[in-house]
Each structure stands twice: as structure tokens, then as C-alpha cells.
Amino acid sequence: MRKPLLVAVALCVSLSVAGCKRKPKPTPIVAPDPTVSTVPTDLPTAEASSPPPKASATPKDAGPTWTVFEPEPTKFTITFPGKPEQKASPQASAAGTMIQHEASSSYRDSYYAIAWMDFPLTAQVDTKKALDGARDGAVKGGGGRIRTEKTIKAGKATGRDIVFDVSSPIKATGYLRIYIAGRRFYQTLVVEPATRPDAAIVAKFLDSFVAK
């Protein structure tokens, strides 16, 4: 999966959380600490009577190595294909500056990610508008359109399950799940090239998320 696509559609909800209104004198947010083989050149010339070598079978892909991800002091768990990389960054929103935490991995050119952040205590959160803004930001970022959308739950979190088509810079499918649990916002996302579907892996990743 090429990096420009990831930047375009991944984890863009922090810029479009439209359901938050700032109260006077907001409390500042403090970010938590981040805790060969060689090929011979002198091969002999094959004799005319020698049969052509048989093609070796391509080893079957055994699938990804799964990693349970539960960083402290978070309130969720999710299982990644491969080992996720983490980062945190301040993001502007209608509620003020929030710290967005991210973890992501890749497998077979597909991108798997989760982002989470806490709304400021001084913010008034409109759940519907916040989820609408997150959905619209992600879909617009990929130049796509919504294919399906439904309401879901994951532990204590309620949210949306959205499948959308990505048109730029390549054709792909986005699988987006967004949740709000109390003052915590979560987003899980898979961006998968249209030519390489991995339905079982996508489902295992998305279904493994549980908010505690």
C-alpha cells in the first residue's frame, strides 16, 4: 500500500470531530508518555538430451503472525496482523487540541490501524455529529463514496461500521469502524487494494476490538 493513500484516508477524524463544542477556559490536555542465497555464475551447459527442470511450487502463504495490542494505560484491546507501530501527535478539532494516538501495521499491501483520543473535559460531545464528522472526513480523504453503513457495539463502545470505496490515488476498499465510549473516541480502519481482498483477515482485525 503506497504511503500517499494512507495519508489521504487514514486516521483523519481528529480534524473533523464536528460534534464537540468548546466551553470557556478549556482544560489543557497533557499527552501521556509513549511508553541470501547466492546465485552461481559458472552453471554447466545443459546437454540436449537433458529434460527441462521442473518448476518448483510456490510456498503457500501461511498468513500473518497476529499480535494482541493493549498498550497501557488504554482501555481497549485489538489484535493486529503483524507487529504494530505506534505514535502520538497533537491534533486540532472543534473541541480544541487533542492528543491522537495511533497504531498501525501492514500485510499484503493492506493497511490496518487504530486511533484513539480523549475529548477534553470541558467539551460538550454530540455523539451523532462526532461520528458523522469522522465518517465524512475519512471517506472524503480517499475521494470515495459510502457503500454500506450500520450501527454497532464493541464492549462498552457504540458506533458505526462503514464500508466505502476509495478512488484516489488507487482503487481500494476502506473498512471503517468508529466508536465513542464515554469521553474516549476510537477509530479502526483497514484500507485494502481492490485487487487483493483478504476478507477473513480484515474481519478478524476489526472484530477483535473491544472497549473495556
Side-chain angles (χ1 to χ4, degrees):
M1 177 64 63
R2 289 178 286 179
K3 189 66 174 177
L5 177 60
L6 307 186
V7 173
V9 302
L11 310 174
C12 58
V13 299
S14 60
L15 304 179
S16 60
V17 180
C20 304
K21 296 180 181 179
R22 189 189 305 175
K23 292 182 179 180
K25 299 181 180 180
T27 303
I29 304 300
V30 179
D33 289 338
T35 44
V36 179
S37 60
T38 59
V39 178
T41 58
D42 56 345
L43 294 174
T45 303
E47 297 180 4
S49 59
S50 299
K54 294 182 179 180
S56 58
T58 302
K60 186 177 180 180
D61 189 343
T65 299
W66 292 90
T67 303
V68 176
F69 181 70
E70 189 176 11
E72 294 295 338
T74 59
K75 303 173 183 179
F76 71 91
T77 181
I78 193 169
T79 303
F80 273 90
K83 185 177 181 180
E85 297 180 355
Q86 299 183 59
K87 67 177 182 178
S89 58
Q91 300 288 345
S93 79
T97 300
M98 299 186 289
I99 303 301
Q100 177 173 283
H101 302 268
E102 305 171 18
S104 63
S105 71
S106 60
Y107 177 70
R108 287 182 178 170
D109 295 329
S110 294
Y111 177 78
Y112 299 80
I114 184 169
W116 66 99
M117 65 183 74
D118 293 315
F119 294 116
L121 294 175
T122 53
Q124 295 178 326
V125 181
D126 183 316
T127 299
K128 182 180 183 302
K129 288 185 178 180
L131 293 175
D132 286 348
R135 174 202 63 200
D136 295 344
V139 175
K140 183 179 178 181
R145 62 180 181 82
I146 296 173
R147 192 186 302 173
T148 63
E149 181 176 3
K150 62 182 179 181
T151 301
I152 54 173
K153 287 183 67 68
K156 295 182 179 180
T158 59
R160 312 266 185 85
D161 181 342
I162 300 156
V163 179
F164 63 100
D165 296 317
V166 177
S167 61
S168 176
I170 65 172
K171 292 187 181 300
T173 301
Y175 301 88
L176 174 68
R177 292 185 182 181
I178 45 180
Y179 307 90
I180 292 179
R183 307 196 71 81
R184 169 68 62 85
F185 178 89
Y186 297 100
Q187 171 183 273
T188 60
L189 175 68
V190 179
V191 180
E192 176 184 68
T195 56
R196 298 202 64 175
D198 272 317
I201 296 174
V202 171
K204 182 172 180 176
F205 169 71
L206 294 174
D207 292 344
S208 69
F209 171 76
V210 177
K212 300 179 179 179

